[in-house]
Amino acid sequence: MNARHLCMSLVATLLTLLAGVPAAQAESSGEAGDMARMLEQLDMLDQLDQLDRQDFEAAIAKVYACSDARDFGCADGSLATAGTLVYDDASRQALADARTYRGDMQRIAEQEQQRLARQARIQECSDRCPMPDQFEDCVEGDLSPRYCDEPSYDPPAGSNSNDTFVVLNQALQEFQRQAENQLAQRQQQLQQQQRLYEQQRRQQEERERQREAQRREWERQRARQVAVAEQQQAELEAMRQQADQARRQAEARQRAAEEARRQEAARRQAEEAARLARQQETLERQRAREREQAEREARRTAYLASLQQGIQLGGKTCYGEKHVLGVIPRIRPEEVACIDVHFNVYCPGSPSVQHQGVMHNMVSNAGGCFGDTTEVPKGIGCTAEEFRVRVTRVTGC
């Protein structure tokens, strides 16, 4: 159930009822009770709408918290909860931002795990694989560190030097024992030994140069690996900062959207309050007019009743004709300026009405034929002076 839609539907229904009900009917207690119950239901639905918004904001905040804690199952559950509580475009954008942040944080976590694993691999290969070729294969995963070889060293050329001097010494002793004819042979042997020594020395120097070159190459490779690892770490840090910036921007957009919603709600509330105030003012004026009308009508009715009690009518013969005339009491304030006096004419000793008449726009007349009189039929069975005239009703003209 969308509480917001129900609330707007009930508001529209209420406005329709208020526009269609006449003012007099709106004062009845039954309709006032229905209006009060409807307003109470609107308040309850507005409270439900506020609770839905609070639940949505809590779910979005939990998505960010769970993503920061690398608990992506928790983040997915909160995203599912927030998805059922979306209520406008701003909340739909906040949900999309939270879902993007969750994906970015998972990628950062995976890349961080890969970086740590590669760093540990580089360290292990560096410790156990000193040979450059084996170190590179180890880092790339083509060679296990357990199968790396220790560097081999050739024995120094000095071990053969002693043998050379022994042979030389023996050659000299043989020279002494033998004849001078063997001197040339011994010199030739010495020269051969010297050439062999020089060759071994050069080979040893070459091996040393090769090992130094290999060591420098290994150092360069290791430096490149470390540089790559540091670059990857810097890129991950940059991605993390970008994700943090994106999260802050999402939070800023969410705060701005919430502020806009609060301002819009305040504006609508102010407009609704003003509308209700105008409606109440109109109702109060209508009621005041009705009260004033009722009071005027009551005063008019009382005034006419007082006139009915106070008017004295009688008969008089004027120019051979029978007339009815009378005196109007002076009652202040004068609520009705023009009156019609309805009367019945009786003859003495007879309860029967001899005539029913009306003095239209009656003016008080103390007894003269030249004042306001009303002619009655001549056939009434008694003289005009014997008339008993009774006022039956007084109305406005």
Side-chain angles (χ1 to χ4, degrees):
M1 178 183 67
N2 193 318
R4 188 177 188 83
H5 291 168
L6 285 176
C7 181
M8 296 304 295
S9 177
L10 284 175
V11 167
T13 303
L14 176 59
L15 292 176
T16 302
L17 290 175
L18 290 176
V21 175
Q25 294 180 357
E27 292 181 358
S28 65
S29 60
E31 293 177 352
D34 292 340
M35 187 182 300
R37 284 191 297 273
M38 184 171 292
L39 291 174
E40 190 175 318
Q41 291 176 355
L42 288 175
D43 290 338
M44 292 176 63
L45 289 174
D46 185 62
Q47 293 175 4
L48 290 175
D49 189 41
Q50 293 295 330
L51 289 176
D52 286 344
R53 291 191 178 192
Q54 293 174 3
D55 291 342
F56 174 80
E57 293 169 359
I60 292 297
K62 192 172 182 181
V63 171
Y64 285 107
C66 293
S67 298
D68 291 339
R70 304 298 193 267
D71 188 352
F72 299 110
C74 168
D76 291 337
S78 299
L79 283 172
T81 300
T84 63
L85 299 173
V86 171
Y87 51 88
D88 59 8
D89 292 339
S91 62
R92 190 173 294 105
Q93 182 62 43
L95 178 63
D97 292 340
R99 185 176 289 110
T100 300
Y101 181 77
R102 181 260 181 222
D104 292 341
M105 293 306 294
Q106 184 174 14
R107 285 191 294 273
I108 289 174
E110 292 173 351
Q111 293 172 356
E112 180 69 12
Q113 290 176 356
Q114 294 174 0
R115 185 190 66 81
L116 293 175
R118 185 171 182 84
Q119 185 175 1
R121 181 75 175 184
I122 291 174
Q123 183 63 40
E124 184 180 9
C125 293
S126 175
D127 294 340
R128 305 186 65 174
C129 299
M131 303 300 291
D133 294 340
Q134 292 183 350
F135 172 79
E136 184 175 355
D137 292 340
C138 177
V139 170
E140 296 301 328
D142 297 333
L143 179 64
S144 172
R146 296 192 300 271
Y147 301 116
C148 290
D149 299 330
E150 294 293 333
S152 60
Y153 298 95
D154 295 332
S159 61
N160 293 327
S161 178
N162 293 330
D163 295 337
T164 302
F165 286 111
V166 170
V167 172
L168 180 59
N169 189 30
Q170 292 176 353
L172 290 174
Q173 291 176 0
E174 184 68 17
F175 177 76
Q176 293 176 358
R177 291 191 301 268
Q178 296 178 1
E180 292 180 357
N181 56 0
Q182 296 178 349
L183 178 58
Q185 182 179 1
R186 287 196 298 271
Q187 289 178 346
Q188 185 179 3
Q189 291 176 355
L190 177 59
Q191 291 174 357
Q192 290 177 353
Q193 291 294 334
Q194 287 177 344
R195 286 194 297 272
L196 179 60
Y197 172 77
E198 183 64 22
Q199 182 181 2
Q200 291 177 350
R201 185 185 62 79
R202 287 195 300 269
Q203 291 177 353
Q204 180 66 21
E205 290 177 353
E206 182 64 24
R207 283 193 293 270
E208 288 293 338
R209 284 194 299 271
Q210 290 178 359
R211 281 195 294 270
E212 180 64 20
Q214 290 175 353
R215 185 188 63 79
R216 284 197 292 270
E217 180 63 23
W218 177 78
E219 289 292 342
R220 284 194 296 270
Q221 290 180 1
R222 183 174 181 179
R224 284 196 297 269
Q225 295 291 340
V226 172
V228 170
E230 291 177 350
Q231 182 180 0
Q232 290 177 349
Q233 184 175 3
E235 292 175 353
L236 289 176
E237 179 65 20
M239 291 180 63
R240 187 189 64 80
Q241 292 177 358
Q242 291 177 358
D244 289 342
Q245 182 179 2
R247 179 178 59 82
R248 289 192 296 269
Q249 291 175 352
E251 291 175 350
R253 287 195 296 268
Q254 183 177 358
R255 288 193 297 270
E258 179 60 25
E259 180 64 23
R261 287 194 297 272
R262 283 196 294 268
Q263 292 179 358
E264 179 64 18
R267 184 187 64 79
R268 288 199 299 269
Q269 185 175 4
E271 290 179 353
E272 181 64 14
R275 187 190 64 79
L276 292 177
R278 290 193 300 270
Q279 182 181 1
Q280 184 65 26
E281 182 180 356
T282 301
L283 185 60
E284 290 295 334
R285 286 198 300 267
Q286 178 66 25
R287 289 176 177 175
R289 287 194 296 269
E290 291 176 354
R291 285 195 298 269
E292 183 179 355
Q293 180 66 27
E295 291 174 357
R296 283 199 304 269
E297 189 63 29
R299 290 194 303 270
R300 176 187 175 91
T301 300
Y303 178 77
L304 293 176
S306 298
L307 288 179
Q308 182 177 348
Q309 296 293 327
I311 291 176
Q312 300 293 325
L313 297 180
K316 187 174 181 63
T317 302
C318 294
Y319 315 109
E321 297 175 349
K322 297 179 179 180
H323 288 256
V324 173
L325 52 84
V327 178
I328 302 174
R330 299 177 65 86
I331 300 175
R332 294 290 182 269
E334 185 181 54
E335 297 294 338
V336 182
C338 176
I339 59 174
D340 293 335
V341 179
H342 300 256
F343 60 88
N344 291 337
V345 176
Y346 298 87
C347 287
S350 174
S352 300
V353 177
Q354 300 298 316
H355 175 71
Q356 292 180 341
V358 181
M359 295 187 69
H360 295 284
N361 192 11
M362 178 180 176
V363 177
S364 183
N365 185 355
C369 291
F370 295 101
D372 184 25
T373 63
T374 297
E375 183 180 0
V376 295
K378 295 180 179 180
I380 296 176
C382 57
T383 64
E385 284 71 13
E386 293 177 336
F387 287 172
R388 287 189 299 106
V389 184
R390 180 180 299 171
V391 177
T392 58
R393 184 160 57 96
V394 179
T395 60
C397 295

